[in-house]
Amino acid sequence: MKLQTWITWLCCMAVLIATIIVDVLVWNVERKNIISEATSNALNEMYSLADAYNQTFERSQFTSNSDEVMDIQLQYFFKTRLDEYTICVRYQEIDGTLVNDAEHGYFVYNHTVLSLDDVENNDYNSIANETISYGTLHYQDSEYLICKYTTKNRLSIYHLTCIDYAKDKLRNLTMYMIVITFSVMVVMSIIVALILRHSLRSLKELNATAADIAKGNYDKRVNVRGKNEIATLGTTFNQMAEAVETRTKSLEESERQKTLFMGNLTHELKTPLAAISGYVQTLLTVRLDEADEAEALGYIDEECKRLERLSKKMLRLLELDTEQKLELHEIPVRQLFEQTGRLCRKLLETKGVTLQYEEHGECFLVEEDLMTEVLVNLVDNANKASKQGDTIRLIANDHQILVQDTGCGIPEEEQKKILEPFYMIDKSRSRKNGGAGLGLALTALILKRHDVTLAIESEEGKGTTMILNFPVG
């Protein structure tokens, strides 16, 4: 069952139950009021009849000691009132005691089809003065309210009031309530359906968008309307979709980089292996003099060292990419600069490049060997870009380390690519200098693990400044 249908049925059932409870309460109250009104009308008629009787017989001289004469007077009295629903019964006295039962009484006046047992064998509710009481009488398909007035002359006067109209009122009230309840249910169903259709439109859109994202359309978003819980859900869903899209693009880029990485690695390995294989085949098949043989072995040794450097950088990249936690220590920047100078001394001497330091006692929270490797890579790249006799400067300030050179510079469109593995601006020059395009990629990973950002300021023909921005605090 759909959510909209289920909620509609639930709301309608709740409204139906509430309406039925209200109907029952109202019906009971109205029933009591109708019965009370009917009882009050019947008693008023009885009071009027009793008052007329008292004025005629008990409060005037119009009376007789003879039961026969009195009965004739009573019959005349009731006939003149034209009341067909009044019954008068006289009871006998036995040993001075009035006996009110059917065997010791007779009708003085009765134009109804009721017997003495019908009117006598009934439960009557007494009024405060106990001379008038009332009860209900069912005869055939009708219901009557029968009022009884007991006089001082061994007489009981009964008055019948048909209260079928009360039943009709209750029946009509029941029908009205059923019609109203049905109407309320229909209107409520329509209103709830419209409200739910409007409210759940966002959920349907959310479902459709989720289905599109499941098919690979990660750029899909839901249109957030309002400020309710569904709108909050839509906002959260968009944030999730944004994260999924970003993560997917990251994975796709990572996969692309890995594919490119493996292709470049294969290419980089192929060149020295081909050279080694060629010199080995020459040594195995051709007899060379000592000078040529030494030259061939020198090339083989050079290419083997190149493969060793390449493999070490590859392993270093893989180690850093595992996100293992680094042990960081406060290291004086002078110590980093001096260690970098020692490692790069022979490299710089081949070109006559000078390395200068500028620091003011700064210390940085780093892993010493890795940060030294970063500076060595940056100085190595600066040396490759420098001319004979140039100067490379290492500068430290509050939260930065700068590596400056006055070499050829880096084109602006290349500056964002140089951190990619195997990327080289001048491939012929880099290979000539023994490079494989892994130095800056390794540098970027090390800096990332230190939460250090790398900024590049460069201008072609004027040199480059690599800026390491360390976190503050």
Side-chain angles (χ1 to χ4, degrees), residues 213 216-221 237-255 448:
I213 292 177
N217 301 321
Y218 299 110
D219 59 337
K220 293 290 185 179
R221 299 291 184 272
F237 180 86
N238 284 340
Q239 293 173 351
M240 180 194 69
E242 186 72 28
V244 170
E245 183 181 14
T246 302
R247 180 61 176 168
T248 302
K249 288 182 178 179
S250 175
L251 291 174
E252 289 175 350
E253 179 63 20
S254 176
E255 188 66 26
K448 180 181 178 182

Side-chain angles (χ1 to χ4, degrees), residues 44-55:
N44 287 335
E45 292 179 3
M46 188 71 241
Y47 284 133
S48 177
L49 178 62
D51 186 62
Y53 170 82
N54 290 330
Q55 289 181 359

Side-chain angles (χ1 to χ4, degrees), residues 13-76:
M13 289 301 297
V15 172
L16 177 62
I17 293 172
T19 306
I20 290 175
I21 292 174
V22 172
D23 287 346
V24 170
L25 294 176
V26 171
W27 190 87
N28 281 326
V29 171
E30 287 299 316
R31 175 178 173 275
K32 290 179 180 179
N33 291 336
I34 291 173
I35 292 176
S36 176
E37 181 184 358
T39 303
S40 178
N41 292 336
L43 288 174
N44 287 335
E45 292 179 3
M46 188 71 241
Y47 284 133
S48 177
L49 178 62
D51 186 62
Y53 170 82
N54 290 330
Q55 289 181 359
T56 304
F57 294 97
E58 295 188 1
R59 298 175 188 174
S60 67
Q61 299 301 319
F62 186 60
T63 182
S64 174
N65 293 326
S66 171
D67 289 342
E68 290 81 3
V69 175
M70 186 68 176
D71 290 346
I72 293 172
Q73 293 173 346
L74 287 169
Q75 290 173 6
Y76 177 79

Side-chain angles (χ1 to χ4, degrees), residues 117-363:
D117 288 330
D118 292 333
V119 297
E120 189 63 41
N121 298 328
N122 201 7
D123 293 328
Y124 291 94
N125 299 312
S126 298
I127 307 300
N129 57 18
E130 296 185 357
T131 58
I132 295 179
S133 57
Y134 68 94
T136 56
L137 175 66
H138 298 276
Y139 187 80
Q140 294 183 353
D141 295 332
S142 297
E143 185 171 359
Y144 297 88
L145 194 67
I146 181 169
C147 296
K148 178 180 179 182
Y149 173 56
T150 302
T151 70
K152 299 177 181 179
N153 297 320
R154 294 181 287 113
L155 294 173
S156 291
I157 301 174
Y158 300 90
H159 183 73
L160 299 174
T161 303
C162 182
I163 57 174
D164 285 344
Y165 71 93
K167 286 185 177 180
D168 294 337
K169 282 186 176 182
L170 288 175
R171 190 179 299 110
N172 292 335
L173 178 63
T174 303
M175 292 301 299
Y176 290 149
M177 286 184 170
I178 291 174
V179 171
I180 292 173
T181 301
F182 179 76
S183 301
V184 168
M185 288 299 300
V186 172
V187 174
M188 184 65 186
S189 300
I190 295 173
I191 293 175
V192 170
L194 291 176
I195 293 175
L196 287 176
R197 183 178 179 182
H198 175 75
S199 300
L200 297 179
R201 182 173 57 184
S202 297
L203 285 181
K204 291 180 180 178
E205 182 180 347
L206 185 65
N207 183 51
T209 305
D212 287 338
I213 292 177
K215 294 176 182 177
N217 301 321
Y218 299 110
D219 59 337
K220 293 290 185 179
R221 299 291 184 272
V222 296
N223 184 20
V224 179
R225 306 180 187 88
K227 296 182 179 180
N228 53 23
E229 289 80 358
I230 296 179
T232 303
L233 176 62
T235 302
T236 306
F237 180 86
N238 284 340
Q239 293 173 351
M240 180 194 69
E242 186 72 28
V244 170
E245 183 181 14
T246 302
R247 180 61 176 168
T248 302
K249 288 182 178 179
S250 175
L251 291 174
E252 289 175 350
E253 179 63 20
S254 176
E255 188 66 26
R256 187 188 69 82
Q257 291 287 348
K258 287 180 180 179
T259 302
L260 180 62
F261 185 85
M262 293 305 297
N264 288 329
L265 175 61
T266 303
H267 179 73
E268 292 296 329
L269 291 175
K270 180 180 178 181
T271 302
L273 287 175
I276 292 171
S277 178
Y279 284 117
V280 169
Q281 290 297 323
T282 300
L283 291 174
L284 290 176
T285 58
V286 179
R287 184 176 298 277
L288 302 175
D289 55 31
E290 290 185 4
D292 291 336
E293 185 176 341
E295 183 182 359
L297 290 173
Y299 279 122
I300 291 174
D301 181 61
E302 184 180 340
E303 294 299 328
C304 286
K305 289 179 179 179
R306 182 181 172 190
L307 282 174
E308 183 181 6
R309 291 194 303 271
L310 183 61
S311 63
K312 285 182 179 179
K313 289 188 177 182
M314 284 291 302
L315 288 173
R316 199 63 164 162
L317 278 172
L318 293 175
E319 288 174 2
L320 289 171
D321 208 25
T322 58
E323 298 293 337
Q324 293 180 356
K325 189 174 181 179
L326 301 180
E327 293 186 8
L328 306 181
H329 302 280
E330 287 282 349
I331 305 296
V333 73
R334 170 175 283 276
Q335 183 176 326
L336 295 175
F337 286 174
E338 291 177 350
Q339 190 171 349
T340 302
R342 287 194 299 270
L343 294 173
C344 296
R345 182 180 296 112
K346 291 184 179 179
L347 183 66
L348 297 173
E349 287 177 353
T350 58
K351 271 191 172 183
V353 174
T354 304
L355 184 63
Q356 294 182 353
Y357 312 143
E358 183 181 328
E359 53 85 24
H360 308 90
E362 292 87 357
C363 293

Side-chain angles (χ1 to χ4, degrees), residues 260 264-265 267-268 271 306 310 313 381 384 410-411 414-415 417-441:
L260 180 62
N264 288 329
L265 175 61
H267 179 73
E268 292 296 329
T271 302
R306 182 181 172 190
L310 183 61
K313 289 188 177 182
N381 283 339
K384 292 174 183 177
I410 304 172
E414 305 287 346
Q415 292 180 13
K417 302 178 182 178
I418 61 175
L419 300 180
E420 297 178 4
F422 294 107
Y423 187 82
M424 293 175 284
I425 300 173
D426 188 343
K427 295 180 173 56
S428 61
R429 177 169 60 83
S430 297
R431 288 201 174 91
K432 181 179 178 182
N433 294 326
L438 291 175
L440 283 179

